[in-house]
Amino acid sequence: MKLPIYLDNHATTQVDPRVVEAMLPYFSEKFGNAASRQHKFGWVAEEGVETARSFVAKFLNAEPNEIIFTSGATESNNLAVKGVAESYKQKGNHIISCVTEHHSVLDVCKSLEKSGCEVSYLRVDKYGRINLEELANAIRQNTILVSIMFANNEIGTLQPIEEIGKLCVEHGIVFHTDATQAIGKIPIDVLKMDIHLLSLSAHKIYGPKGIGVLYVRKKNPRVSISPILHGGGQEKNLRSGTLNVPSIVGLGKAIDICANEIKIETERISFLRNLLQRKIFETIPNVWLNGESENRIPNNLNIGFDGVDAEALMMGLKEIAVSSGSACSTSQAMPSHVLKAIGLSSDEAHSCIRFGVGRFNTEEEIEYVAKRVGVVVEQLRSISPKYKVRKQKEELVSI
Ligand code: PMP
């Protein structure tokens, strides 16, 4: 077994060697601009892009012309939310989102509020799920968009996507979902789930960084969004800029691998995740699970360690890459907005670690991690005056 061990697969993933192999020719002999219609270099590049587009479309049960390549989920989320706000402004200016969304949705909503939009942020229960009744009650005459993530990046909780989609259809509202953490782990069918806009990113599914997709529904209903980048008119005028052909090919390959392996991979990864959870709960007292045990993505394990500072725990686990908070944002000092939203105090939120199991983890690594976490937690608790006082108090109460 090699150290360090990577267990931070929500932050990003190692590029699959099969993806690297598929990309390589597009840096060298197939280097053309996919928009060069006049010669073979362009046609070859275009063919690579269109093959990738078909892979993505097939995986989502969409049409190839509904797939727009972007620089990643941050851009896709910006394009979806800003694009609807601008394009539907004659119809209304009200958006519904949720307090546990990724900042690439929340901060867009905040900026739109400054320019005249109204945003309702749904709360979540202690597992991180929205309440459908609350969503229904939040819908107004002027609601133009509901943006609710598929799976949360910190606690893995799945939202009731199909039910949200149904409600949006009933009210004639566009439904966007940020599926960045769900893609490749949960089967997604945009038609069956009534999803109108969907964001995803390649680097969470063993593809390259800096490439993503926005799915934009073309019929039943036709969703129209305004671009945020203007220029050469690529991607049906929705995302100008020369296409990043090698990365698009890599994204396509990464999706194709997911399509072929999702079932077996989900089983393997959830087995490893469950093993880690069981070992930690069996060997370490006073720990709790954040999120829901059933209704979550298979690779997520977010655990609170009573009386332990997560940063100190990570320092003690230098040979294991895990994360406290979301790790997708740069400001780690603030307690996570997701953990606060499910009811944790700041102190509790600072005691939580997110483990993200991935394609390249082994059972041996999981066994090692469980043991090391136990050792370091015990060490930290033995020198934590707060933990000791609390334990003594608890013991006195139980006598
Ligand atoms: N949404 C979610 C749920 C995410 O986890 C992330 C990545 N941390 C993003 C959006 C942003 O993705 P990208 O890094 O591709 O911009």
Side-chain angles (χ1 to χ4, degrees):
M1 191 184 68
K2 259 181 42 200
L3 294 177
I5 294 169
Y6 189 74
L7 267 188
D8 198 13
N9 286 281
H10 298 293
T12 196
T13 56
Q14 181 190 334
V15 180
D16 191 300
R18 292 168 288 180
V19 171
V20 177
E21 196 187 321
M23 290 173 70
L24 283 177
Y26 291 87
F27 290 105
S28 48
E29 71 264 32
K30 297 182 179 179
F31 65 86
N33 183 330
S36 298
R37 294 274 152 76
Q38 312 81 349
H39 51 69
K40 193 159 180 210
F41 293 89
W43 305 333
V44 168
E46 191 189 13
E47 195 188 322
V49 168
E50 294 315 315
T51 304
R53 206 187 296 281
S54 310
F55 284 146
V56 180
K58 190 163 165 231
F59 192 56
L60 298 174
N61 194 22
E63 295 298 326
N65 69 352
E66 297 176 314
I67 303 302
I68 304 298
F69 291 113
T70 66
S71 65
T74 298
E75 187 187 328
S76 299
N77 287 342
N78 271 262
L79 179 56
V81 178
K82 283 187 195 168
V84 168
E86 175 63 25
S87 177
Y88 289 72
K89 65 184 177 200
Q90 305 303 337
K91 187 182 169 217
N93 65 345
H94 179 236
I95 294 170
I96 300 173
S97 191
C98 172
V99 289
T100 53
E101 291 297 307
H102 190 264
H103 282 293
S104 54
V105 167
L106 285 179
D107 291 0
V108 176
C109 288
K110 294 260 144 61
S111 98
L112 287 172
E113 280 184 279
K114 285 190 194 133
S115 52
C117 279
E118 294 165 11
V119 185
S120 304
Y121 300 93
L122 301 179
R123 293 164 309 157
V124 293
D125 63 16
K126 64 179 179 180
Y127 301 114
R129 294 257 290 187
I130 64 151
N131 179 319
L132 286 165
E133 225 177 280
E134 202 179 313
L135 169 59
N137 290 337
I139 293 173
R140 307 180 194 159
Q141 208 66 40
N142 62 342
T143 305
I144 49 171
L145 175 71
V146 169
S147 179
I148 305 282
M149 72 200 321
F150 208 114
N152 186 268
N153 47 303
E154 294 190 42
I155 56 175
T157 302
L158 294 163
Q159 296 294 358
I161 292 297
E162 247 179 281
E163 289 85 345
I164 299 172
K166 211 169 276 152
L167 211 56
C168 288
V169 168
E170 276 166 28
H171 290 85
I173 299 167
V174 175
F175 173 36
H176 166 246
T177 187
D178 173 2
T180 308
Q181 295 289 345
I183 199 85
K185 283 127 204 145
I186 306 288
I188 298 181
D189 181 328
V190 289
L191 293 183
K192 191 164 154 258
M193 296 173 166
D194 286 314
I195 295 166
H196 303 138
L197 297 165
L198 177 144
S199 305
L200 66 90
S201 193
H203 73 103
K204 312 286 186 181
I205 51 166
Y206 315 96
K209 293 169 185 59
I211 191 78
V213 158
L214 181 66
Y215 155 77
V216 184
R217 180 76 78 98
K218 280 276 180 285
K219 57 175 195 267
N220 300 324
R222 182 186 175 83
V223 175
S224 103
I225 55 169
S226 301
I228 50 180
L229 287 181
H230 303 267
Q234 287 90 346
E235 298 299 270
K236 300 167 201 74
N237 266 321
L238 283 182
R239 206 282 184 173
S240 283
T242 300
L243 293 185
N244 181 350
V245 180
S247 294
I248 290 171
V249 169
L251 188 159
K253 181 68 185 175
I255 291 254
D256 190 39
I257 295 171
C258 286
N260 293 325
E261 300 178 3
I262 185 167
K263 196 166 176 291
I264 185 153
E265 178 153 287
T266 299
E267 274 168 25
R268 205 182 75 81
I269 286 181
S270 56
F271 167 78
L272 293 178
R273 188 272 313 272
N274 294 344
L275 178 68
L276 182 59
Q277 180 175 335
R278 203 176 59 243
K279 294 254 164 199
I280 289 178
F281 274 78
E282 273 171 11
T283 55
I284 310 175
N286 301 309
V287 294
W288 73 89
L289 179 73
N290 292 311
E292 215 173 328
S293 65
E294 291 306 315
N295 198 24
R296 61 180 158 159
I297 38 177
N299 57 339
N300 180 274
L301 180 62
N302 193 316
I303 293 190
F305 298 88
D306 189 16
V308 174
D309 176 51
E311 298 299 318
L313 180 52
M314 289 196 305
M315 288 291 281
L317 295 170
K318 279 223 168 73
E319 79 282 29
I320 300 166
V322 288
S323 153
S324 67
S326 77
C328 307
S329 63
T330 42
S331 57
Q332 290 282 307
M334 295 287 285
S336 139
H337 69 290
V338 175
L339 297 178
K340 296 277 285 185
I342 61 170
L344 268 57
S345 67
S346 293
D347 247 16
E348 287 167 334
H350 281 302
S351 301
C352 297
I353 293 281
R354 179 185 70 175
F355 302 88
V357 181
R359 181 175 290 169
F360 303 108
N361 289 123
T362 63
E363 202 170 327
E364 193 188 7
E365 287 179 335
I366 297 297
E367 300 273 357
Y368 177 90
V369 171
K371 273 204 195 93
R372 285 286 299 138
V373 172
V375 169
V376 180
V377 166
E378 203 178 317
Q379 276 167 1
L380 291 172
R381 281 180 177 169
S382 70
I383 53 167
S384 158
K386 252 202 250 168
Y387 185 74
K388 271 200 241 163
V389 169
R390 198 157 54 234
K391 286 300 110 206
Q392 278 162 1
K393 272 194 198 148
E394 274 174 23
E395 276 159 24
L396 281 174
V397 169
S398 66
I399 286 171

